[in-house]
Amino acid sequence: WVGMDDRIVVGTDGSDSAAKAVAEATRLARALGGEVHIVSAYRPEHVSGSSLPARFAGSISSQAQVEAVLDDASSRARIAGVVCTTHAVKGDPADALVEVVEQVGGTMLVVGNKGLNSKVRFLLGSVPTKVVHHAPCTTVIVHTM
């Protein structure tokens, strides 16, 4: 299932719920000798009145926030003694998780069960639902509520 050369991919948005999923992925990696890849997705916001070149405008704020979230999550994993790599990915969170699983040869994907409110979930679907249907590996859904 997961061993020394395997990679566990987990997503975070900086919430307490996501922190529980990262903690579980870290626990699994430590127990089984695997490594953790922590993913956070961002959607660039338009920055109006910016003096930045057009190709950079809009991505700095959101990407900077994601990097801070990833730094915090990876620090906790490393303190637990787990090899950890972070991935800031522009786009949809579920797509970002599946993309990183495919890129790194992930053997397990860990996500929290807390999703969006019911109206948004109905229209867009939840991250756990999307990844279960699209991930090419074992998916663990952590009870985070």
Side-chain angles (χ1 to χ4, degrees):
W1 132 270
V2 175
M4 193 180 298
D5 295 327
D6 290 319
R7 291 156 202 92
I8 299 172
V9 177
V10 61
T12 185
D13 60 5
S15 67
D16 290 342
S17 175
K20 290 177 183 177
V22 172
E24 181 64 12
T26 300
R27 185 189 71 76
L28 288 166
R30 184 170 183 197
L32 301 168
E35 63 186 50
V36 174
H37 290 262
I38 304 174
V39 180
S40 192
Y42 64 97
R43 295 179 191 219
E45 299 168 12
H46 179 68
V47 178
S48 59
S50 173
S51 60
L52 294 171
R55 70 177 189 265
F56 295 117
S59 62
I60 301 299
S61 174
S62 294
Q63 188 170 4
Q65 291 168 352
V66 164
E67 294 292 347
V69 164
L70 290 170
D71 286 346
D72 180 58
S74 65
S75 292
R76 293 171 194 235
R78 288 185 181 111
I79 287 170
V82 173
V83 173
C84 178
T85 305
T86 61
H87 306 266
V89 181
K90 186 164 96 173
D92 175 75
D95 293 342
L97 287 167
V98 172
E99 177 182 316
V100 171
V101 165
E102 291 171 347
Q103 285 175 355
V104 303
T107 53
M108 182 184 294
L109 175 58
V110 177
V111 292
N113 70 333
K114 185 174 181 182
L116 306 167
N117 70 47
S118 60
K119 286 182 186 177
V120 176
R121 188 180 312 119
F122 176 76
L123 293 172
L124 302 177
S126 69
V127 170
T129 300
K130 285 182 178 180
V131 298
V132 164
H133 287 86
H134 296 97
C137 63
T138 299
T139 303
V140 175
I141 300 176
V142 178
H143 184 71
T144 61
M145 293 194 242

